[in-house]
């Protein structure tokens, strides 16, 4: 892979998400060689993907060139590569651009959408885990409105304007809120000849509450906010299939819909070579010890969504969120240096900073350790925290300008079909 | 096409570029029904496409939803449609979403890249007339740098870092300047293991000066600026072919290059049904009279790039630029209303507001009617004018933030491969 061998130990990091980037930054000024591999040349700020899908933001403001994050560090190498296999015996990885030996390997490959084996749903529904997926969803939503204008078949028009979001976690809730605001603020102006009432937004949640990981109060308030925005919430309903036209469920309920967003679950993005039973857990995550080490290895680690670290509070593993990923990346940076210097490593100790979700204009729910609050102040906190965690001054400025504009004007201007999703719109 | 017939006369406009949008705005508050058709749901500010290609701006800040431009006008209809044929006998057009009758028809379909019949060049080179094309070029440039890192074959690496721009008009000049700044400011930081000297930027111009339409002084100064930035200018050289690897010319010169941008000419984007010999001119433009009427028709017009209006100063037709398009759109708005009211129309009188091109940081050339100037003041004028003509307050703000950032930081942050262009990078 054309990377020079130096006297420094080589640490290979697979994945430039929150975990991988935090780790790489931590190691950047040390006497180690860091090779970061990712399928994309950018880091994605996933919490704001739903705003890309709904025309509120453009992808460049929530993505950041990985090369730029680490540009001033002489021992840092980035390669745009797809890792195909890990050979734990020979300490080697195989990628689409060649092989690479490692001294230390950190798997930070993240997670991907979990369809629980249903290939029909996978084929016909939209996911929102990556920027291209989010742009596809944006195109589809706008294309469906254009198509709704053209048909004189009321059932078809209904289906084109009926949104089904499967999964009532933060992704589903935030997307539903944004769609409700489009329905209210943009649809009547942009499509005066469409009956706005036909636009229905549905969240289907398999359990008895939305935002399951958050407090009861946050969940109840989020539900209240969504209902006020006109979102239909269907609880204790499980989607059984979607054939591109009809969503069937385990109840009598069916939905005719041209836009089904699958936000019902994620699973670890595993890599060939790491399937040993002793560390592969539920949801394809890799079981690690308190040092993020894979069982049986001193020099192979997993961090972030792909890692499953259990403790008393989280017997199924830490939540698959940005905070554990960043904290693990930071901690592992210190630990790898300790390991190299043959000092004892520190066990990872997750500091739960809470969770939050925004539902719409002036509406958010925030659970901090000591305070739980909802409403307009929560919304400001949500915005401030998201701006703060965005990488890059320019990104923060551009997102800020967009948010102020969208707030003042009740608008979302990035409603452009730049890359059509449906065949019919391709020219 | 599902558009109600009212008592108002129906004016169908094909194309939402500068000309079509100017006309639609002019007609929006009048007692006419306006139907605007475009292949995209957005208007593109073409003069800044080269900044999208070079990672300086994101597409949403130079594009604008057409529905939004005209949202408050009750008699305005937009349809996302591809016009396939015009039936001038039956006053009807055929599109991919159905047929439509018109009372007045305005063709504002613009122009497209002219390969002068060379299908090899068309297949292998990149164009920069639309947003998707510009994004493809951005991806290709970045992918080529990534590939250059991987190869140990020096010839191949050379070719991957060798840029050939065919055509020394404003597009070619502005793109070359931006690439030169990437070479200087970004390449050494992002790709410390690539030898920047290998990155060559070439402009190939068939005549003996660049920026042919501008003053001698502007042309000479632009050449001077480009040479100082390290751009190679090859004058009196005509490209004869490009097979994806080698650019051949009518001289001994050949270029091994993986990135050839074809900016050597445009031609009218004609529509089937309008091929009559009496109005089809050189470069597929439609010959119109001083009222923008097509010969033989009172109620069919052409405006903008597709229209060829000749006068003493411009015997080959007005330049294919934004200004004539906007002015014709405005004027035709008034004239159609006069025609409906059976009053005499006013002949079009082109007000030449001059031309300008930017070469890079603090470097631009401006030709106004009375003043011609170059350098840093010209650069400010260029920026001010472009910000002023951008549609939308948010677009202006976002472009402004990006420009300030890029200027202060010597940077271009949108260097993201969001939609890979080469197969190998698709995941």
């Amino acid at each position: 892979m054309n990377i020079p061998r130096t006297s420094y130990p080589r640490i290979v990091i697979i994945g430039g998400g929150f975990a991988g980037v935090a780790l790489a930054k931590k190691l950047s000024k040390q006497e180690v060689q860091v090779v970061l591999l990712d399928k994309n040349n950018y880091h994605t700020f996933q919490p704001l993907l739903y705003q890309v899908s709904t025309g509120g933001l453009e992808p460049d403001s929530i993505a950041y060139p990985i090369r730029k994050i680490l540009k001033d560090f002489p021992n840092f190498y980035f390669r745009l590569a797809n890792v195909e296999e890990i050979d734990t015996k020979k300490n080697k990885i195989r990628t689409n651009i060649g092989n690479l030996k490692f001294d230390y390997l950190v798997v930070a490959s993240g997670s991907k959408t979990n369809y629980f084996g249903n290939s029909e749903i996978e084929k016909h529904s939209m996911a929102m885990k990556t920027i291209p997926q989010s742009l596809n969803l944006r195109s589809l939503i706008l294309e469906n409105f254009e198509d709704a204008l053209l048909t004189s078949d009321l059932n078809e028009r209904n289906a084109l304007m009926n949104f089904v979001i499967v999964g009532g976690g933060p992704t589903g809730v935030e997307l539903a809120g944004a769609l409700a605001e489009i329905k209210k603020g943009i649809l009547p102006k942009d499509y005066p000849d469409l009956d706005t009432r036909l636009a229905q937004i549905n969240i289907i949640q398999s359990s008895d509450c939305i935002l399951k990981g958050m407090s009861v109060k946050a969940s109840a308030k989020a539900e209240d906010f969504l209902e006020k925005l006109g979102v239909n919430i269907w609880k204790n309903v499980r989607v059984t299939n979607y054939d591109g036209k009809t969503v069937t469920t385990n109840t009598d309920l069916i939905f005719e819909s041209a836009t089904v967003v699958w936000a019902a679950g994620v699973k670890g993005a595993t890599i060939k070579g790491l399937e040993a039973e002793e560390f592969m857990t539920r949801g394809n995550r890799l079981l690690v010890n308190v040092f993020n080490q894979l069982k049986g290895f001193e020099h192979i680690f997993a961090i972030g969504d792909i890692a499953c670290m259990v403790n008393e509070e989280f017997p199924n593993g830490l939540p698959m969120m940005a905070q554990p990923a960043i904290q693990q990346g930071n901690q592992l940076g210190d630990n790898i240096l300790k390991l190299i210097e043959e000092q004892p490593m520190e066990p990872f100790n997750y500091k739960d900073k809470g969770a939050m979700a925004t539902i719409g204009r002036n509406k958010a729910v925030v659970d901090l350790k000591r305070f739980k609050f909802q409403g307009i102040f929560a919304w400001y906190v949500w915005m401030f925290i998201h701006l703060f965690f965005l990488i890059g001054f320019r990104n923060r400025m551009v997102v800020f300008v967009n948010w102020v504009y969208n707030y003042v004007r009740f608008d979302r201007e990035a409603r452009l079909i730049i890359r059509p999703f449906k065949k019919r719109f391709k020219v």
Side-chain angles (χ1 to χ4, degrees), chain A residues 25 32 53 55 68 107 130 154 180 193 200 209 237 272 302 306 313 372 405:
Chain A
K25 274 186 176 170
V32 290
S53 293
K68 187 173 155 72
V107 183
T130 68
L154 189 64
D193 27 357
Q200 291 291 321
C209 71
V237 175
K272 204 176 154 191
I306 183 77
E313 201 188 340
K372 305 197 192 314
Y405 178 87

Side-chain angles (χ1 to χ4, degrees), chain A residues 53-54 136-146 160 163 175 179 182 259:
Chain A
S53 293
T54 51
N136 283 343
L137 178 57
R138 181 205 287 182
S139 292
L140 179 65
I141 292 169
L142 294 165
E143 286 163 8
N144 282 344
F145 286 139
E146 295 294 334
L160 287 164
F163 297 91
L175 178 63
L179 286 174
I182 287 178
T259 326

Side-chain angles (χ1 to χ4, degrees), chain A residues 109-393:
Chain A
S109 49
S111 56
K112 55 185 187 180
T113 307
N114 193 351
Y115 298 96
F116 304 101
N118 190 321
S119 59
E120 276 249 273
I121 293 177
E122 181 167 359
K123 186 173 163 198
H124 297 291
S125 71
M126 308 297 287
M128 217 173 57
K129 281 287 287 177
T130 68
I131 285 180
Q133 285 173 349
S134 304
L135 287 171
N136 283 343
L137 178 57
R138 181 205 287 182
S139 292
L140 179 65
I141 292 169
L142 294 165
E143 286 163 8
N144 282 344
F145 286 139
E146 295 294 334
D147 274 344
L149 272 179
L150 299 180
T151 181
S152 45
D153 177 339
L154 189 64
N155 287 335
E156 197 186 337
R157 195 183 299 152
N158 257 320
L160 287 164
M161 297 176 71
N162 193 22
F163 297 91
V164 174
I165 299 164
V166 189
T171 306
V173 165
E174 296 187 327
L175 178 63
L179 286 174
E181 297 201 328
I182 287 178
K183 172 181 171 175
K184 201 172 140 194
I186 291 168
L187 203 52
K189 286 185 204 153
D190 268 17
Y191 300 89
D193 27 357
L194 280 181
D195 188 338
T196 311
R197 290 170 299 182
L198 297 184
Q200 291 291 321
I201 299 142
N202 302 285
I203 293 183
I204 304 182
Q205 167 67 11
S206 58
S207 68
D208 60 358
C209 71
I210 59 169
L211 296 180
K212 228 173 16 176
M214 292 186 70
S215 65
V216 174
K217 194 156 178 207
S219 166
K221 196 75 191 175
E223 206 170 301
D224 182 44
F225 284 149
L226 283 170
E227 274 165 6
K228 280 195 183 123
L229 281 168
V231 174
N232 311 314
I233 303 175
W234 309 89
K235 289 185 285 190
N236 296 310
V237 175
R238 193 185 302 277
V239 169
T240 50
N241 206 6
Y242 176 54
D243 61 3
K245 291 197 161 181
T246 310
V247 178
T248 52
T249 67
N250 64 337
T251 70
D252 292 348
L253 271 175
I254 58 164
F255 300 85
E256 302 292 331
S257 170
T259 326
V260 174
V261 181
W262 188 258
V266 291
K267 61 182 178 184
T270 49
I271 300 168
K272 204 176 154 191
L274 287 185
E275 297 101 346
E277 263 179 42
E278 65 260 39
F279 47 73
M280 183 72 91
T281 65
R282 214 168 60 113
N284 286 7
R285 295 171 85 187
L286 301 173
L287 194 68
V288 294
N289 65 15
V290 288
F291 308 113
N292 283 98
Q293 285 167 314
L294 239 63
K295 195 172 181 177
F297 299 99
E298 199 187 27
H299 65 304
I300 300 183
F301 306 84
I303 53 177
D305 280 5
I306 183 77
C308 179
M309 187 189 282
V310 298
N311 63 22
E312 272 177 30
E313 201 188 340
F314 298 99
N316 292 322
L318 297 177
M320 293 162 92
M321 289 178 2
Q323 272 305 319
I326 295 169
Q327 292 177 28
Q328 286 181 341
N330 281 330
Q331 167 99 56
L332 183 59
D334 291 335
N335 276 339
I336 288 186
L337 296 173
K338 288 197 170 114
L339 193 64
I340 293 171
E341 289 162 13
E342 296 180 353
Q343 286 170 11
M345 298 191 288
E346 298 275 344
F348 179 74
N349 184 13
Y350 175 49
K351 281 171 208 71
D352 188 352
K353 295 195 176 163
M356 53 181 77
T358 186
I359 292 94
R361 191 182 189 76
N362 299 341
K363 295 182 192 72
V365 294
V366 174
D367 283 358
L368 301 183
K369 202 143 195 172
R370 296 180 190 201
F371 306 100
K372 305 197 192 314
F373 46 100
Q374 300 87 31
I376 187 160
F377 179 65
W379 190 67
Y380 282 112
V381 169
W382 180 93
M383 283 200 292
F384 177 78
I385 299 264
H386 280 75
L387 278 178
F388 181 81
F389 275 99
L390 264 180
I391 297 180
F393 176 72

Side-chain angles (χ1 to χ4, degrees), chain A residues 371-421:
Chain A
F371 306 100
K372 305 197 192 314
F373 46 100
Q374 300 87 31
I376 187 160
F377 179 65
W379 190 67
Y380 282 112
V381 169
W382 180 93
M383 283 200 292
F384 177 78
I385 299 264
H386 280 75
L387 278 178
F388 181 81
F389 275 99
L390 264 180
I391 297 180
F393 176 72
R394 188 200 64 109
N395 284 358
R396 281 181 207 142
M397 280 296 292
V398 170
V399 169
F400 182 72
V401 166
N402 275 294
W403 283 354
V404 169
Y405 178 87
N406 295 349
Y407 186 73
V408 174
R409 300 289 297 267
F410 291 80
D411 203 350
R412 291 162 178 269
E413 233 174 53
R415 47 186 191 274
L416 314 167
I417 309 175
I418 296 217
R419 304 280 194 158
F421 180 71

Side-chain angles (χ1 to χ4, degrees), chain A residues 6-54:
Chain A
T6 64
S7 59
Y8 292 151
R10 177 185 288 168
I11 302 165
V12 174
I13 305 169
I14 302 174
F18 287 116
V21 164
L23 171 63
K25 274 186 176 170
K26 200 84 188 190
L27 293 173
S28 57
K29 288 177 187 165
Q30 307 298 327
E31 298 192 327
V32 290
Q33 183 185 66
V34 178
V35 182
L36 178 60
L37 306 172
D38 199 288
K39 285 182 283 193
N40 294 309
N41 77 337
Y42 53 86
H43 164 82
T44 305
F45 190 74
Q46 291 187 342
L48 291 177
L49 281 174
Y50 80 96
Q51 297 214 357
V52 171
S53 293
T54 51

